[in-house]
Amino acid sequence: MQRYSSALVILAISLSAAGVAQDTRTVTEPVIPAFCTKLDAHLTSINDGTYNTLSAADESKLDTDRIQKAIDSCGKGKAVALQSHGASNAFVSGPLELREGVTLVVDKGVTLFETLDPKVLEISPGSCGVVSKEPGRGCKPLISVSHVSGAGIMGDGVIDGRGGENILGKTMSAWDLGEHALKENGGQKVSRLIVADHADNFTLYRITLRNSPNFHVSYNAGDGFTVWGVKIDTVHRIANAPHPLSRNTDGIDPGNGSKNITITHSFFREGDDNVAIKGGAGGVTNMSVIHNHFYWGHGMSIGSETYGGVSKIRVTDLTLDGTDSGIRIKSMGTKGGLVHDVVYDDICIRNSGRPLDITAAYAANGPVAGNSPPTFRDITLRNVSISGGGKILFDGYDHDHRAQINLDGVFLTDNTNPDVPYTYTFDHADVVFGSGGSNLQLPTGTDATINGTPAKGTPYSCADRFVPFPTE
């Protein structure tokens, strides 16, 4: 068993002290607690050519009860550790619930697999592992953190939701159900990996989350959420497949009345939003996204729900490498509200289809009108360097509900290369150029204004900023 605590180094300077954070807490590197219990693995993972998984004979050997009993009997401030035992390195589980002040630790080399049996996860008989127009989720999450404080999930191991593997008794996966739900205008009734609700001071530290059936982490109505040194690593596209198979696999989704959130020193690649700030009921405020790397996915997103408001957001030192969108704020007339006081600083974007994607017309088939229109105001992009072409959208809702963006040192670093064209949408928007300069060539647009003259400036350097996704 790896010994953690003695090897940890706490940062001398907190993120809050760095002058860029909006999280009002003093956030330092987490410490893995002392263990109340160590559980040995009884199963051994295999590779089926695409995934690390379990043999069919091991699917029924659930570890749910012994893990849950260990969590239930653990004292506050302590941790339950899942560890390897000889060649055995895997656990398989149905729904688990964290308790007040208790941390689940998955040791290096160990994988906690979600069961493929929908009956184990179903909320009501037959509700899980189907496409349905019935309301509700249909499936319990693998790990619930509900109305408790000080809980955590840590360690250098893996939690694998197995979203690309066939559901037990079916010839399709959870991700396949997502495709069918889209075609049938129904709901994809599959599980989420981690759902935290009213969970103050919840921590994810050093853990790898992989292949969730749906969202990897959903955090709602909590005060204090730290994501530090986390990897989210989900298959995006399988060779020769006609479409991405991991639809709806968002990385981290804070929403609905949550505040004081820090995401830092993390690496995300998945089939949907890398981070999606969902400003539904209660909104989201005081959030810092600092020192991170995103790869495939839909980028650093706000929305599409913004009706509860989103404010006091700082995104600093972020690379977006091959994301479908880069900096993204999305909403529509039925889900909109005020998004304001949002700053992006020291951002490197390359090979993104929509490197700057700020739109109130988010919908597959054009703008959606409604009685809850969005307004984007006091949105600042500072020291942003973009390469690889793509669409740039500054697209408000209407004359009274606009997108107001401050550009200060925003440069296309390959704008003279005809092989990487850039296109623009500029409607119901107001752009203010700052002293840092920009070379964006904004068109006249519809009901759009430009204030200030873009100076020449010097593009923010992205040399050595893009790094490979860490596989170890």
Side-chain angles (χ1 to χ4, degrees):
M1 182 71 180
Q2 180 174 339
R3 298 186 181 277
Y4 295 95
S5 299
S6 62
L8 290 176
V9 178
I10 305 301
L11 293 186
I13 301 176
S14 72
L15 294 177
S16 297
V20 296
Q22 286 295 292
D23 189 332
T24 63
R25 302 172 300 157
T26 298
V27 180
T28 57
E29 184 170 357
V31 176
I32 293 178
F35 303 140
C36 62
T37 305
K38 301 176 184 179
L39 300 180
D40 288 338
H42 295 163
L43 307 175
T44 302
S45 63
I46 60 172
N47 190 289
D48 66 0
T50 302
Y51 302 104
N52 288 326
T53 186
L54 296 173
S55 68
D58 287 339
E59 282 298 330
S60 61
K61 300 175 183 177
L62 294 175
D63 293 293
T64 315
D65 287 346
R66 68 186 185 115
I67 297 174
Q68 189 63 60
K69 287 177 181 177
I71 292 171
D72 292 345
S73 61
C74 195
K76 295 179 184 179
K78 299 294 182 66
V80 173
L82 307 184
Q83 63 182 7
S84 59
H85 182 69
S88 299
N89 63 355
F91 296 76
V92 61
S93 182
L96 298 169
E97 298 180 7
L98 292 189
R99 303 304 184 201
E100 183 86 8
V102 175
T103 295
L104 178 66
V105 174
V106 184
D107 189 25
K108 186 175 183 179
V110 173
T111 301
L112 171 62
F113 290 105
E114 180 175 316
T115 179
L116 294 173
D117 188 350
K119 292 183 179 179
V120 175
L121 296 160
E122 64 188 13
I123 294 173
S124 59
S127 67
C128 184
V130 296
V131 172
S132 171
K133 295 185 179 180
E134 293 295 321
R137 295 291 318 152
C139 308
K140 299 176 183 177
L142 177 62
I143 301 175
S144 297
V145 194
S146 180
H147 291 83
V148 298
S149 63
I153 300 172
M154 304 184 182
D156 294 312
V158 175
I159 301 176
D160 194 328
R162 309 169 82 189
E165 299 182 53
N166 284 346
I167 297 167
L168 198 65
K170 297 180 181 290
T171 58
M172 62 180 63
S173 69
W175 297 343
D176 292 329
L177 287 180
E179 297 296 326
H180 283 274
L182 186 66
K183 295 173 183 176
E184 299 173 17
N185 195 28
Q188 174 194 18
K189 307 300 184 181
V190 297
S191 68
R192 297 177 176 180
L193 208 60
I194 300 168
V195 174
D197 180 56
H198 291 87
D200 294 347
N201 297 314
F202 176 52
T203 301
L204 297 176
Y205 179 49
R206 287 178 14 195
I207 196 73
T208 295
L209 307 177
R210 183 173 292 159
N211 295 334
S212 179
N214 195 255
F215 298 174
H216 284 77
V217 182
S218 178
Y219 183 81
N220 291 302
D223 184 351
F225 178 32
T226 301
V227 178
W228 191 303
V230 169
K231 290 185 286 187
I232 299 179
D233 186 13
T234 292
V235 172
H236 179 44
R237 188 183 295 271
I238 294 177
N240 302 317
H243 48 67
L245 294 187
S246 53
R247 183 184 297 278
N248 301 326
T249 54
D250 290 24
I252 306 288
D253 284 9
N256 297 3
S258 56
K259 61 183 179 179
N260 292 319
I261 299 158
T262 292
I263 300 173
T264 187
H265 294 87
S266 294
F267 302 81
F268 299 159
R269 59 184 188 185
E270 59 279 307
D272 212 295
D273 295 311
N274 301 96
V275 169
I277 302 171
K278 294 186 174 296
V284 176
T285 190
N286 294 106
M287 179 169 171
S288 308
V289 182
I290 305 174
H291 312 314
N292 297 290
H293 298 272
F294 297 169
Y295 303 84
W296 57 69
H298 293 179
M300 178 64 230
S301 300
I302 295 174
S304 57
E305 303 95 323
T306 61
Y307 58 86
V310 176
S311 65
K312 297 182 181 178
I313 311 296
R314 297 294 183 270
V315 180
T316 303
D317 185 18
L318 173 65
T319 66
L320 299 120
D321 193 2
T323 53
D324 294 334
S325 292
I327 293 172
R328 189 184 200 197
I329 305 176
K330 52 179 177 172
S331 196
M332 62 185 74
T334 55
K335 295 183 177 182
L338 177 61
V339 177
H340 71 111
D341 190 7
V342 181
V343 178
Y344 305 85
D345 197 355
D346 298 353
I347 312 294
C348 293
I349 306 171
R350 72 177 180 185
N351 300 328
S352 174
R354 295 184 173 206
L356 303 179
D357 187 2
I358 299 175
T359 179
Y362 172 69
N365 300 311
V368 175
N371 58 6
S372 184
T375 298
F376 309 146
R377 189 173 67 230
D378 192 19
I379 311 298
T380 299
L381 279 58
R382 181 184 302 124
N383 298 322
V384 177
S385 290
I386 301 166
S387 63
K391 298 178 180 179
I392 293 173
L393 295 93
F394 300 143
D395 189 17
Y397 182 78
D398 62 18
H399 181 75
D400 296 320
H401 302 88
R402 308 179 67 78
Q404 188 270 312
I405 302 105
N406 306 309
L407 302 180
D408 192 3
V410 179
F411 287 91
L412 313 177
T413 60
D414 52 2
N415 65 311
T416 60
N417 186 344
D419 295 328
V420 285
Y422 293 89
T423 60
Y424 296 85
T425 297
F426 186 36
D427 298 319
H428 308 303
D430 305 298
V431 165
V432 179
F433 284 107
S435 60
S438 178
N439 62 353
L440 297 190
Q441 300 296 313
L442 295 175
T444 301
T446 301
D447 186 28
T449 70
I450 297 174
N451 293 280
T453 302
K456 289 184 177 180
T458 301
Y460 177 70
S461 176
C462 291
D464 302 321
R465 289 285 306 279
F466 295 102
V467 298
F469 188 93
T471 55
E472 295 297 330

